[in-house]
Amino acid sequence: METDRERQTDIRFQVRESGTALVCGVLAIGAAFFILLMRLLHPSAAGGGALLYAPLAVMFLGGVLCFALYGNRRVLVENMNICYVNCMRKEKRFTLDEIGFCKVGTGGSANQIVLFDLCGSKLCKLDLEMRGAAEFYQYLADNCVEMEYGGRRGGRAASLNGLLGAIGRETSVCAEEIRKCTALFYEEAVGIFRAWEARNGQFGAFWEIGFAEYAGGDMERRCRPWERESSVPEKLTELPEAYECVLEAYLKREDGYVVNRRGEEVVILLPYLARTRSYRIGEGTRIRRTDEQSLTEWLEGRLAALAGELPRHRYHTEELTLRHRLRASAGLRE
């Protein structure tokens, strides 16, 4: 019988073709039938023959291929075991240990993940647009599969955009390291905010900054950031199973928090640490730390944009009371 520990570390998911393939198949076959119908209803003396029917046949076969991709192509992952099924339902089975390295978003395959075995032979190829591709990429990253980005083996995912880029740049930490790394990042972020205040003194505004910690379902509640409550205890001696640490910054003036005409506070949220499910075999959960350089680059860009937005829109101040505590560091404490 499966134990609780085994259920927690069990890894099962699949990667499937996106709905785009289905839409393309419907459009291609529909267009082919429409053109053929128009030809039959409105015949003409000129045209027709191979010049008409060959392209229609290509369109029809292309639509059938799209249906086959959508219905058949997938990757099934069950712990160490991986099964790739192509559009013709042909299966290729291999294990995590058989993967030598993978190429992500390189060369002419800028939208693909390509897996290679230990001898350099191709195992399978997936599109980044497939449903579950990001989860599969996380699975590879958590299990330390060697990555190649832009033709450079072992490099970081600096060239990738969006979610995959963030996954490629994250690192893992233990609970005891959280206090130190949050304190260091806090000092770096405060310097950026204070420099913005000095450059934009005409606004007479300043930032209230700190780490907010959330546990369990705190982040699931739909509300304004200042209204969110935290269930993390003051004396945090053990990290919750579901934990998230966010650097929050609220723009203020002497008479209150700055809000726009819709009543929304001016706030910047930087998700920094999260304890989430791990795809590493046997690990269960992992504390993931977002790359600080990526966060500071985004923060500097957002602050520069905000300096241009503030004079062009109406803002006022309101007396708000944050329903959670902001700290200069996070993590375990007595």
Side-chain angles (χ1 to χ4, degrees):
M1 183 177 293
E2 191 177 44
T3 64
D4 290 340
R5 170 66 179 174
E6 289 172 334
R7 282 193 293 270
Q8 291 174 0
T9 59
D10 197 36
I11 300 171
R12 298 172 189 268
F13 65 93
Q14 65 175 315
V15 183
R16 295 196 60 186
E17 200 69 42
S18 70
T20 303
L22 181 61
V23 173
C24 290
V26 171
L27 292 177
I29 294 177
F33 275 113
F34 177 78
I35 295 172
L36 179 60
L37 181 62
M38 291 298 100
R39 169 64 178 173
L40 296 176
L41 292 177
H42 306 284
S44 62
L51 292 178
L52 173 65
Y53 297 114
L56 289 181
V58 172
M59 292 175 62
F60 179 80
L61 292 175
V64 171
L65 178 60
C66 288
F67 280 125
L69 284 171
Y70 180 78
N72 299 328
R73 190 182 181 209
R74 68 192 65 197
V75 174
L76 306 173
V77 178
E78 185 175 344
N79 297 317
M80 293 282 293
N81 303 307
I82 302 170
C83 176
Y84 172 71
V85 184
N86 66 13
C87 62
M88 304 303 294
R89 295 189 179 180
K90 183 179 179 180
E91 296 184 358
K92 179 183 287 187
R93 296 181 180 271
F94 52 94
T95 66
L96 186 63
D97 290 336
E98 294 179 67
I99 302 175
F101 67 99
C102 77
K103 292 184 178 181
V104 184
T106 58
S109 303
N111 65 335
Q112 294 175 338
I113 300 175
V114 187
L115 300 185
F116 297 86
D117 64 18
L118 300 172
C119 298
S121 299
K122 187 167 67 176
L123 289 169
C124 69
K125 180 170 60 177
L126 305 174
D127 295 328
L128 297 181
E129 291 81 8
M130 294 177 71
R131 291 178 292 172
E135 188 174 13
F136 186 66
Y137 180 83
Q138 184 78 74
Y139 170 79
L140 297 174
D142 283 2
N143 286 286
C144 302
V145 172
E146 192 172 7
M147 305 285 185
E148 182 176 307
Y149 304 100
R152 187 160 55 89
R153 188 81 61 85
R156 306 185 78 187
S159 62
L160 294 178
N161 296 319
L163 179 58
L164 294 193
I167 294 173
R169 291 187 294 266
E170 73 179 20
T171 55
S172 61
V173 298
C174 64
E176 290 73 22
E177 295 176 305
I178 292 178
R179 179 163 293 276
K180 180 180 178 180
C181 65
T182 52
L184 291 174
F185 182 57
Y186 177 82
E187 291 181 8
E188 184 177 5
V190 165
I192 295 173
F193 281 108
R194 298 300 175 237
W196 184 91
E197 294 170 0
R199 291 193 304 269
N200 300 278
Q202 70 273 19
F203 299 137
F206 60 94
W207 293 93
E208 182 179 356
I209 313 162
F211 285 105
E213 298 174 280
Y214 303 104
D218 294 345
M219 297 295 288
E220 296 176 3
R221 181 191 171 201
R222 299 187 64 179
C223 61
R224 303 302 309 165
W226 69 270
E227 297 176 312
R228 194 173 305 283
E229 298 179 351
S230 171
S231 59
V232 175
E234 284 294 317
K235 293 184 178 181
L236 186 60
T237 57
E238 184 178 356
L239 212 63
E241 281 295 314
Y243 171 82
E244 189 162 353
C245 173
V246 182
L247 184 68
E248 300 184 354
Y250 295 83
L251 190 62
K252 298 182 67 177
R253 300 186 68 177
E254 292 297 336
D255 53 347
Y257 290 85
V258 178
V259 299
N260 60 23
R261 58 185 178 183
R262 295 191 300 270
E264 300 168 338
E265 68 278 21
V266 178
V267 59
I268 292 177
L269 306 176
L270 295 175
Y272 181 54
L273 285 165
R275 185 176 189 177
T276 62
R277 177 190 181 187
S278 173
Y279 290 90
R280 187 176 181 88
I281 304 300
E283 189 172 49
T285 61
R286 170 176 294 202
I287 304 171
R288 306 182 186 278
R289 180 177 69 175
T290 307
D291 177 59
E292 288 88 349
Q293 182 179 349
S294 302
L295 290 176
T296 54
E297 289 175 356
W298 181 90
L299 175 59
E300 289 171 345
R302 179 69 188 102
L303 287 173
L306 186 61
E309 293 172 7
L310 288 175
R312 298 199 304 266
H313 302 281
R314 283 189 175 184
Y315 292 89
H316 61 280
T317 58
E318 289 186 8
E319 286 292 336
L320 306 176
T321 302
L322 295 186
R323 298 184 183 178
H324 54 269
R325 184 173 175 178
L326 298 182
R327 305 174 185 272
S329 63
L332 303 179
R333 53 187 176 269
E334 296 183 359

